Amino acid sequence: MSKPLSIAVAGLGTVGAGVLKLLSENAEIVAARAGRPVVVGAVSARDRLRDRGVPLSALRWYDDPVALAADPGTDVVVELIGGSDGPARALVEAALAAGKPVVTANKALLAVHGAAIAELAEARNVPLAFEAAVAGGIPAIKALREGLAANRIRRVAGILNGTCNYILTVMREHKREFAEVLAEAQKLGYAEADPSFDIDGIDAAHKLAILAALAFGRPVDFAAVHVEGIREVSALDIALAGELGYRIKLLGIAERTAAGIATRVHPCMVPVAAPIARVDGVFNAVVAEGDFVGRVVLEGRGAGAGPTASAVVADLIDLARGRVTPVWGAAAGLLDGAPALPMERHVGAYYLRLMVLDRPGVIADVTGILRDHVISLEAMLQRGRAPGEAVPVVLTTHDCEEASMRAALARLAALDSVLEKPALIRIEPL
Ligand SMILES: NC(=O)c1ccc[n+]([C@@H]2O[C@H](COP(=O)([O-])OP(=O)(O)OC[C@H]3O[C@@H](n4cnc5c(N)ncnc54)[C@H](OP(=O)(O)O)[C@@H]3O)[C@@H](O)[C@H]2O)c1
């Protein structure tokens, strides 16, 4: 067998320790598939004394992770620190500049600085691999960039954040409100102490920006992603969606339209019969639609030590074998220059719930405003009668433009008879 591939691992937290464990427990199978052993030579983390459940005494220890880029015994640098800037970015840039291939799980870094980092990798002709950065253990990057490489991708969509999917699933199954379920998820360790990256949709947007770059062969463009999280999803809307035949999911969707590339993360109503509607709990899913292949659905664990290590080591096996693909699937000069489509131009169907005073004329006011903005109704549901009190009125629309819907919504919210901020959820025919 050839010379071992010697790696340096920066970050020994959930993912880093998981990678060391996998490489030790599956050493034989990894060596067979890589054509040579994959061995850890050097590591870096903040706390040298912390027990990480894996032996470290035989490894070269670096307090400064950036110094791993210059470690003479290292063939590949594995960045598992996290964060879009700071030591993670410094290490990745230093390693690429030094001609060392990089494997990273860092979606924030790739979403925010991925265009420049990919250019650096290409200019130096150094591989940059990041299977673990999107949907954890699901081989979504490989599927899009390699398995589906022969297709024009029309759309890629996914459940890209396990924390949000877990919260929405518990809210539906137990008819509970968001804040209560979030607090419990934090206690159980399913949500971070500061959960905003997850529940405000930012983590999903990082991953979607990467998927869109791969699906459409274009530099990553995080700033173009429209982002909404799940804080405003209520148990009532989840129940009403169920009555209408839908589930509410936080999706990331990237689509090629005639006017440009749309990328958006927001709560969606998907038909209960859609495969993605049944992906519950912490699971992730990615759905891609190609012109020759049709629809491909991938589902699995999007986080955790085992699934993420599985993806990191798959990248290491590719590098050991010398299998290298351009970062976004094509050389920089051949990338697609289609413009980003702003959210105002999105066209789709909507679910709208208003809490209105039950009194004559209210429905006429509401439908009048929708008519003024050329929004046609698909269905209307009024639950219960309580003269003089608030009742929910649910409307679903045919396709209309987001800009019209927002203008109508502002007028609806200003009506005396509308008592709370209206709830708006986009309907996706996935
Ligand atoms: N967790 C997942 O399931 C998952 C899934 C997919 C992708 N990812 C990505 O994988 C990466 C790592 O995530 P994680 O969950 O493993 O994070 P984590 O558990 O917080 O571990 C981070 C590691 O980085 C080390 N570190 C932090 N700052 C450092 C510094 N200045 N110098 C040296 N080491 C430093 C920490 O050292 P100490 O241990 O000494 O504090 C720790 O070992 C992130 O980019 C994340 O987005 C994670």
Side-chain angles (χ1 to χ4, degrees):
M1 213 176 252
S2 332
K3 174 180 164 290
L5 183 79
S6 180
I7 68 167
V9 179
L12 296 171
T14 305
V15 183
V19 167
L20 265 59
K21 185 164 178 271
L22 191 160
L23 285 173
S24 157
E25 287 184 15
N26 284 2
E28 254 178 64
I29 200 168
V30 169
R33 290 176 181 162
R36 49 184 167 144
V38 176
V39 298
V40 184
V43 292
S44 176
R46 279 177 301 208
D47 182 354
R48 190 170 187 165
L49 300 177
R50 182 177 299 168
D51 178 11
R52 304 176 188 271
V54 283
L56 299 175
S57 54
L59 308 178
R60 297 183 293 288
W61 176 277
Y62 286 83
D63 284 326
D64 174 13
V66 183
L68 290 173
D71 178 68
T74 290
D75 301 318
V76 174
V77 168
V78 183
E79 184 280 301
L80 302 171
I81 295 173
S84 61
D85 288 277
R89 181 183 180 192
L91 171 60
V92 168
E93 289 177 350
L96 294 173
K100 297 232 161 122
V102 171
V103 174
T104 179
N106 192 336
K107 52 250 178 180
L109 173 69
L110 288 166
V112 178
H113 300 296
I117 289 173
E119 276 179 29
L120 173 61
E122 188 171 328
R124 299 286 164 134
N125 199 19
V126 184
L128 168 66
F130 49 94
E131 182 61 68
V134 178
I138 304 176
I141 308 277
K142 227 178 201 328
L144 270 179
R145 194 174 55 187
E146 290 150 57
L148 304 179
N151 292 266
R152 279 176 211 283
I153 303 292
R154 193 184 77 75
R155 173 163 66 179
V156 56
I159 295 176
L160 301 173
N161 185 275
T163 304
C164 288
N165 206 41
Y166 170 83
I167 291 173
L168 292 174
T169 301
V170 175
M171 286 175 71
R172 186 188 82 244
E173 287 177 348
H174 300 281
K175 300 185 171 40
R176 292 167 64 195
E177 289 299 347
F178 169 78
E180 197 186 317
V181 178
L182 169 63
E184 192 180 278
Q186 286 173 309
K187 269 195 219 139
L188 292 170
Y190 293 153
E192 304 278 340
D194 176 2
S196 51
F197 248 55
D198 290 320
I199 63 176
D200 292 331
I202 298 156
D203 175 74
H206 285 152
K207 296 167 185 167
L208 183 74
I210 297 168
L211 285 180
L214 292 161
F216 306 123
R218 66 204 304 265
V220 68
D221 186 3
F222 175 62
V225 183
H226 173 84
V227 192
E228 293 171 28
I230 61 166
R231 283 183 204 264
E232 293 188 1
V233 177
S234 68
L236 175 60
D237 290 318
I238 291 176
L240 289 166
E243 286 184 36
L244 294 165
Y246 294 97
R247 291 267 164 91
I248 297 181
K249 296 284 178 193
L250 183 78
L251 297 186
I253 301 173
E255 277 169 313
R256 184 187 282 284
T257 74
I261 305 290
T263 48
R264 51 200 170 90
V265 169
H266 52 71
C268 294
M269 284 181 28
V270 290
V272 278
I276 212 164
R278 288 184 293 246
V279 175
D280 280 334
V282 295
F283 279 79
N284 283 20
V286 174
V287 181
E289 290 169 24
D291 55 352
F292 274 68
V293 72
R295 182 180 295 179
V296 174
V297 183
L298 302 163
E299 181 188 345
R301 290 187 187 275
T308 314
S310 157
V312 169
V313 176
D315 280 344
L316 290 169
I317 292 172
D318 274 351
L319 292 177
R321 284 275 183 198
R323 287 193 289 258
V324 178
T325 316
V327 176
W328 310 125
L334 299 174
L335 292 178
D336 190 305
L341 191 74
M343 193 62 196
E344 292 72 20
R345 304 272 311 278
H346 166 70
V347 173
Y350 293 80
Y351 158 102
L352 187 59
R353 176 181 53 80
L354 306 169
M355 294 305 290
V356 299
L357 263 185
D358 189 2
R359 70 176 185 213
V362 172
I363 299 297
D365 292 344
V366 169
T367 52
I369 289 175
L370 294 173
R371 183 204 54 223
D372 290 351
H373 293 275
V374 204
I375 296 169
S376 66
L377 287 179
E378 201 251 23
M380 190 170 86
L381 182 76
Q382 186 177 356
R383 213 9 75 82
R385 284 238 48 210
E389 287 178 34
V391 288
V393 170
V394 171
L395 308 153
T396 57
T397 75
H398 289 295
D399 281 359
C400 64
E401 200 171 69
E402 175 93 7
S404 308
M405 179 48 86
R406 287 190 194 175
L409 200 60
R411 284 181 59 197
L412 289 170
L415 287 175
D416 281 350
S417 49
V418 171
L419 302 180
E420 287 175 14
K421 186 179 170 200
L424 181 83
I425 301 175
R426 299 174 189 89
I427 300 175
E428 295 295 331
L430 278 177

